[in-house]
Each structure stands twice: as C-alpha cells, then as structure tokens.
Amino acid sequence: MTSPGPLPGHQTTAVRANWLGRYLSVESGFDKEIHKALLAAAVDSEKRIVALVDSPGVGAKTRRLQISLARNQIRSTVTSLFGKNITGLIKHFQGDAANAAVDAALYDELPLLGKFFRSKAQRNAYQSSLHATASRNIESTITRVLGLSKMPLSKRVYRTQALAQGRVDSAINNALSRGDSAKDLAKSVRALIDPNVAGGVSYAAMRLGRTEINNAFHAQSIHDAIEKPWVNQMRWHLSKVHEPQGCFCEKYAIQGLFQANHVPNKPHPQCRCYVTPELPDYNEFEVDLLGGQYDSYLDNLLNAAGA
Ligand SMILES: [Zn+2]
C-alpha cells in the first residue's frame, strides 16, 4: 500500500485547491460584505456633512461650529462601522474560516478515516461535531494557539478604529484650516471610507478583517493538528500570491516542517500562507487505528456528535 499523498509536484495543486482554495472562498465572502458596509458608511458620512454644513453665507464662527457637529456625527458613524458592522463580520467569517480548516483537513484524511467510519452518516456526524466545536470556540482557539498578546478581538478592532478615527479627524481639520467648502470636505471624508478609493480607512479595515480571518484559519488548522493523535508535524506552504520577497514566510517554507505545537504565527498582515498536517503512512495509520491508539480521541468526538 502506498502513502495517501501523491508525488509532491502533483500534490501542490491539489493541496492548494483544498486548503488555500477553501480559505480564499471565505475571504472573498468577507470582502463582499465589508465592501457593502464601508460603502454605506462612506455615503452616510458624505450626506451628514453636506446636510449639516450646507448653508452658504454663514460666518466663519458658525461654519466652524457646523463642522465640529459634523465631526461628532462622523465619529459615531466610524464607531458603529467598526464596533458593530466590522466586528460582527469578522466574527462571522472567522467561524466560516474555522469550518473551512476543519473541512480541508477532513478531506485530506478521508482515505485514512474511511477505515474507521462505518457509514456516511457517521462521517457526517464527525464533521458536524468538529464544525460545532470549531466555530463556537474560534476566538479562544485564536488566543490559545496564536497568543496574540492575549488581546481579545474587540481590542484589536479598537486599535484600527482609533487609527481610522484619527485619519478622519485630520481630514476634517485640514479642510477646516484650508477653508474648504462643505462639499469638498464631504468628498474627502467619503474618499477615506469608500472601498472603491485606494488607501484610507477602508484599506485599514479590509486589512484588519482579512488578517483576523486568516488567523482563524491558521489557528484552527494548528489546533486540529495538535488534537489529532495521528498528526505530529505540519508543513508550511507559500500562497500563490505571496509577497513580499525575502520575508519570514519564505524561510518557513524552506524549512517546511514544524512540530504541530511549534508552528509559527503569520509573520505579516494579510499573509495567506497556509499549513497542512503531515499525515501518517496508510499502513502506519491502520496499525495504530486497529491497535486502539485513536480510540479515545474518536470516541470523544463521536459521543459529542451523538453518533
Ligand atoms: Zn506568508
């Protein structure tokens, strides 16, 4: 009997489709939703400024008052954009990313686990059990596996929110000192938040979201590898769109294998590299399975699934 993985060159495409492919489809779902949320906030901010400051012929003092009122309103738009919309989206898609990592591992393991499962129903129960645990626990999984200075998601979001707020404030202050018209001020604030305009708040928000969602995928992959008694090591793969050159990702890919409990964190934001569990040889797996070495792990999961 041969080992379950085909030759390395061949494997790369299949592994990439299974792991990176599943992750990217979660990421593109997030991109669509955050795009909508940012656009709505951009349009809203523009309207609020125009509505408050659109009175020609007022004195400089009144105008400054109007602009500071507008600034408060934009603050609350930015606060609710990050606090409610973006945090909610990140949490939702982190759950999806955790499930995608579960599915990718399961897909690789099917040739092995086929030995263990007596029916498709039992296999589905195993998958549902892994999904339920993964999406429910993803935030604590990220903290536990990746550390991330033990900072909760809400705090990490708040950092980006504070930066975003600073950029909006300085756009308003600049407009004030230049004596821009309300229309110009509204336009420049809108551009900062509009996801169709490069850079600004929208870029920071998308970068934060993608990094968080990728961390969920990474943490879940590592967590499952540590938990599964048939996995000891993980392999680091570069993503196809990998940038920049000469970074740690490349060193990790050259090293290739890491003990599952010593897989490095993502070395830079928006890193789409991924790690895959090194599966045992088919014969080795079968001997250990029949010898009862995986019983307690599998029994626990199937009990949890009520199978
Ligand atoms: Zn990378």
Side-chain angles (χ1 to χ4, degrees):
M1 199 62 218
T2 53
S3 77
L7 290 169
H10 182 196
Q11 195 181 22
T12 307
T13 319
V15 168
R16 174 168 282 155
N18 184 38
W19 288 86
L20 187 58
R22 283 179 206 269
Y23 166 71
L24 288 178
S25 100
V26 173
E27 192 188 89
S28 82
F30 169 76
D31 283 354
K32 272 187 206 133
E33 293 303 317
I34 197 172
H35 195 275
K36 277 190 225 161
L38 287 165
L39 190 58
V43 170
D44 181 63
S45 306
E46 186 179 26
K47 277 192 192 147
R48 281 170 185 251
I49 298 176
V50 170
L52 272 173
V53 197
D54 199 15
S55 35
V58 297
K61 210 173 164 190
T62 312
R63 193 167 168 274
R64 292 184 78 86
L65 187 69
Q66 286 172 333
I67 287 178
S68 77
L69 279 173
R71 174 165 43 202
N72 290 343
Q73 294 212 353
I74 305 308
R75 274 210 178 120
S76 74
T77 301
V78 171
T79 303
S80 92
L81 171 68
F82 278 90
K84 259 204 323 251
N85 302 343
I86 293 178
T87 304
L89 284 176
I90 290 175
K91 281 188 176 169
H92 173 86
F93 284 94
Q94 280 184 326
D96 285 359
N99 285 343
V102 165
D103 290 342
L106 197 57
Y107 179 84
D108 279 353
E109 287 164 343
L110 275 182
L112 298 177
L113 290 173
K115 275 274 160 202
F116 173 78
F117 294 119
R118 287 181 291 278
S119 65
K120 202 174 170 207
Q122 207 178 31
R123 200 180 75 205
N124 290 344
Y126 174 72
Q127 184 172 19
S128 314
S129 171
L130 287 172
H131 273 184
T133 318
S135 47
R136 188 173 57 234
N137 297 335
I138 187 58
E139 191 167 352
S140 62
T141 301
I142 293 171
T143 314
R144 215 168 51 241
V145 175
L146 306 182
L148 295 182
S149 319
K150 305 276 177 221
M151 193 191 276
L153 174 65
S154 55
K155 273 230 170 107
R156 299 197 297 273
V157 171
Y158 184 75
R159 281 185 163 184
T160 305
Q161 179 187 324
L163 282 174
Q165 192 62 65
R167 299 190 69 155
V168 171
D169 280 352
S170 66
I172 293 173
N173 291 340
N174 289 342
L176 263 174
S177 63
R178 282 194 307 256
D180 283 357
S181 71
K183 236 181 159 182
D184 287 341
L185 170 62
K187 258 191 198 160
S188 61
V189 170
R190 176 184 173 144
L192 266 178
I193 306 175
D194 192 332
N196 299 310
V197 178
V201 170
S202 55
Y203 176 77
M206 284 191 278
R207 185 168 99 143
L208 167 77
R210 287 178 183 168
T211 303
E212 290 293 337
I213 291 162
N214 194 279
N215 274 333
F217 189 76
H218 193 57
Q220 189 66 44
S221 307
I222 298 168
H223 170 269
D224 288 351
I226 293 171
E227 291 280 301
K228 287 173 181 170
W230 53 85
V231 180
N232 295 315
Q233 290 184 303
M234 301 197 84
R235 186 176 293 279
W236 188 283
H237 302 266
L238 290 176
S239 69
K240 205 173 192 170
V241 286
H242 190 264
E243 292 174 73
Q245 301 298 308
C247 70
F248 275 105
C249 303
E250 290 170 4
K251 286 179 196 149
Y252 296 156
I254 291 165
Q255 176 174 337
L257 291 175
F258 294 87
Q259 287 302 309
N261 56 354
H262 284 106
V263 175
N265 284 3
K266 291 309 189 75
H268 59 86
Q270 302 199 85
C271 169
R272 285 166 169 153
C273 295
Y274 57 101
V275 288
T276 59
E278 286 285 289
L279 296 178
D281 175 81
Y282 190 90
N283 289 332
E284 190 190 319
F285 181 85
E286 192 176 21
V287 167
D288 287 348
L289 178 68
L290 296 176
Q293 295 208 30
Y294 309 147
D295 282 1
S296 68
Y297 171 80
L298 290 165
D299 287 348
N300 281 343
L301 269 169
L302 288 175
N303 286 339

PDB file of all heavy atoms in Angstrom, residues 291-303:
ATOM      1  N   GLY A 291      -4.889  -0.905  16.541  1.00  0.00           N
ATOM      2  CA  GLY A 291      -4.305  -1.109  17.868  1.00  0.00           C
ATOM      3  C   GLY A 291      -4.986  -0.264  18.944  1.00  0.00           C
ATOM      4  O   GLY A 291      -4.603  -0.304  20.105  1.00  0.00           O
ATOM      5  N   GLY A 292      -5.983   0.554  18.526  1.00  0.00           N
ATOM      6  CA  GLY A 292      -6.765   1.309  19.512  1.00  0.00           C
ATOM      7  C   GLY A 292      -6.145   2.625  19.940  1.00  0.00           C
ATOM      8  O   GLY A 292      -6.620   3.274  20.870  1.00  0.00           O
ATOM      9  N   GLN A 293      -5.083   3.075  19.227  1.00  0.00           N
ATOM     10  CA  GLN A 293      -4.410   4.296  19.677  1.00  0.00           C
ATOM     11  C   GLN A 293      -5.230   5.564  19.476  1.00  0.00           C
ATOM     12  O   GLN A 293      -4.941   6.587  20.084  1.00  0.00           O
ATOM     13  CB  GLN A 293      -3.072   4.433  18.940  1.00  0.00           C
ATOM     14  CG  GLN A 293      -2.130   3.326  19.295  1.00  0.00           C
ATOM     15  CD  GLN A 293      -0.693   3.782  19.156  1.00  0.00           C
ATOM     16  OE1 GLN A 293      -0.376   4.947  19.329  1.00  0.00           O
ATOM     17  NE2 GLN A 293       0.184   2.848  18.853  1.00  0.00           N
ATOM     18  N   TYR A 294      -6.197   5.503  18.576  1.00  0.00           N
ATOM     19  CA  TYR A 294      -7.000   6.712  18.302  1.00  0.00           C
ATOM     20  C   TYR A 294      -8.376   6.632  18.950  1.00  0.00           C
ATOM     21  O   TYR A 294      -9.198   7.529  18.808  1.00  0.00           O
ATOM     22  CB  TYR A 294      -7.161   6.919  16.783  1.00  0.00           C
ATOM     23  CG  TYR A 294      -5.865   6.885  16.001  1.00  0.00           C
ATOM     24  CD1 TYR A 294      -5.839   6.377  14.704  1.00  0.00           C
ATOM     25  CD2 TYR A 294      -4.687   7.379  16.551  1.00  0.00           C
ATOM     26  CE1 TYR A 294      -4.650   6.340  13.978  1.00  0.00           C
ATOM     27  CE2 TYR A 294      -3.492   7.343  15.827  1.00  0.00           C
ATOM     28  CZ  TYR A 294      -3.477   6.830  14.548  1.00  0.00           C
ATOM     29  OH  TYR A 294      -2.326   6.809  13.839  1.00  0.00           O
ATOM     30  N   ASP A 295      -8.649   5.533  19.634  1.00  0.00           N
ATOM     31  CA  ASP A 295      -9.993   5.289  20.156  1.00  0.00           C
ATOM     32  C   ASP A 295     -10.535   6.438  20.997  1.00  0.00           C
ATOM     33  O   ASP A 295     -11.640   6.909  20.771  1.00  0.00           O
ATOM     34  CB  ASP A 295     -10.017   4.011  21.005  1.00  0.00           C
ATOM     35  CG  ASP A 295     -10.030   2.763  20.124  1.00  0.00           C
ATOM     36  OD1 ASP A 295      -9.999   2.938  18.884  1.00  0.00           O
ATOM     37  OD2 ASP A 295     -10.059   1.644  20.666  1.00  0.00           O
ATOM     38  N   SER A 296      -9.720   6.886  21.962  1.00  0.00           N
ATOM     39  CA  SER A 296     -10.305   7.853  22.892  1.00  0.00           C
ATOM     40  C   SER A 296     -10.602   9.170  22.172  1.00  0.00           C
ATOM     41  O   SER A 296     -11.646   9.780  22.393  1.00  0.00           O
ATOM     42  CB  SER A 296      -9.416   8.062  24.112  1.00  0.00           C
ATOM     43  OG  SER A 296      -8.241   8.704  23.715  1.00  0.00           O
ATOM     44  N   TYR A 297      -9.713   9.569  21.253  1.00  0.00           N
ATOM     45  CA  TYR A 297      -9.972  10.818  20.502  1.00  0.00           C
ATOM     46  C   TYR A 297     -11.247  10.705  19.675  1.00  0.00           C
ATOM     47  O   TYR A 297     -12.135  11.554  19.731  1.00  0.00           O
ATOM     48  CB  TYR A 297      -8.777  11.146  19.591  1.00  0.00           C
ATOM     49  CG  TYR A 297      -9.061  12.284  18.628  1.00  0.00           C
ATOM     50  CD1 TYR A 297      -8.994  13.599  19.063  1.00  0.00           C
ATOM     51  CD2 TYR A 297      -9.436  12.031  17.303  1.00  0.00           C
ATOM     52  CE1 TYR A 297      -9.285  14.646  18.198  1.00  0.00           C
ATOM     53  CE2 TYR A 297      -9.726  13.075  16.437  1.00  0.00           C
ATOM     54  CZ  TYR A 297      -9.647  14.380  16.882  1.00  0.00           C
ATOM     55  OH  TYR A 297      -9.935  15.403  16.038  1.00  0.00           O
ATOM     56  N   LEU A 298     -11.362   9.619  18.902  1.00  0.00           N
ATOM     57  CA  LEU A 298     -12.507   9.464  18.011  1.00  0.00           C
ATOM     58  C   LEU A 298     -13.806   9.223  18.794  1.00  0.00           C
ATOM     59  O   LEU A 298     -14.848   9.774  18.466  1.00  0.00           O
ATOM     60  CB  LEU A 298     -12.249   8.322  17.020  1.00  0.00           C
ATOM     61  CG  LEU A 298     -11.175   8.641  15.975  1.00  0.00           C
ATOM     62  CD1 LEU A 298     -10.704   7.372  15.250  1.00  0.00           C
ATOM     63  CD2 LEU A 298     -11.693   9.649  14.946  1.00  0.00           C
ATOM     64  N   ASP A 299     -13.727   8.428  19.849  1.00  0.00           N
ATOM     65  CA  ASP A 299     -14.918   8.171  20.663  1.00  0.00           C
ATOM     66  C   ASP A 299     -15.457   9.464  21.273  1.00  0.00           C
ATOM     67  O   ASP A 299     -16.656   9.718  21.249  1.00  0.00           O
ATOM     68  CB  ASP A 299     -14.628   7.158  21.777  1.00  0.00           C
ATOM     69  CG  ASP A 299     -14.489   5.744  21.208  1.00  0.00           C
ATOM     70  OD1 ASP A 299     -14.839   5.545  20.024  1.00  0.00           O
ATOM     71  OD2 ASP A 299     -14.030   4.846  21.952  1.00  0.00           O
ATOM     72  N   ASN A 300     -14.548  10.280  21.772  1.00  0.00           N
ATOM     73  CA  ASN A 300     -14.988  11.558  22.359  1.00  0.00           C
ATOM     74  C   ASN A 300     -15.736  12.399  21.350  1.00  0.00           C
ATOM     75  O   ASN A 300     -16.787  12.956  21.639  1.00  0.00           O
ATOM     76  CB  ASN A 300     -13.778  12.367  22.837  1.00  0.00           C
ATOM     77  CG  ASN A 300     -13.277  11.870  24.168  1.00  0.00           C
ATOM     78  OD1 ASN A 300     -13.986  11.162  24.867  1.00  0.00           O
ATOM     79  ND2 ASN A 300     -12.048  12.226  24.504  1.00  0.00           N
ATOM     80  N   LEU A 301     -15.188  12.479  20.134  1.00  0.00           N
ATOM     81  CA  LEU A 301     -15.832  13.305  19.117  1.00  0.00           C
ATOM     82  C   LEU A 301     -17.167  12.728  18.699  1.00  0.00           C
ATOM     83  O   LEU A 301     -18.142  13.449  18.550  1.00  0.00           O
ATOM     84  CB  LEU A 301     -14.932  13.431  17.887  1.00  0.00           C
ATOM     85  CG  LEU A 301     -14.001  14.630  17.932  1.00  0.00           C
ATOM     86  CD1 LEU A 301     -12.977  14.523  16.834  1.00  0.00           C
ATOM     87  CD2 LEU A 301     -14.809  15.918  17.752  1.00  0.00           C
ATOM     88  N   LEU A 302     -17.213  11.422  18.511  1.00  0.00           N
ATOM     89  CA  LEU A 302     -18.467  10.821  18.068  1.00  0.00           C
ATOM     90  C   LEU A 302     -19.519  10.877  19.181  1.00  0.00           C
ATOM     91  O   LEU A 302     -20.696  11.102  18.901  1.00  0.00           O
ATOM     92  CB  LEU A 302     -18.237   9.385  17.614  1.00  0.00           C
ATOM     93  CG  LEU A 302     -17.483   9.285  16.278  1.00  0.00           C
ATOM     94  CD1 LEU A 302     -17.181   7.837  15.923  1.00  0.00           C
ATOM     95  CD2 LEU A 302     -18.265   9.947  15.136  1.00  0.00           C
ATOM     96  N   ASN A 303     -19.082  10.756  20.421  1.00  0.00           N
ATOM     97  CA  ASN A 303     -20.037  10.919  21.524  1.00  0.00           C
ATOM     98  C   ASN A 303     -20.598  12.316  21.532  1.00  0.00           C
ATOM     99  O   ASN A 303     -21.795  12.518  21.709  1.00  0.00           O
ATOM    100  CB  ASN A 303     -19.372  10.626  22.879  1.00  0.00           C
ATOM    101  CG  ASN A 303     -19.159   9.127  23.061  1.00  0.00           C
ATOM    102  OD1 ASN A 303     -19.820   8.315  22.405  1.00  0.00           O
ATOM    103  ND2 ASN A 303     -18.243   8.770  23.949  1.00  0.00           N
TER     104      ASN A 303
END
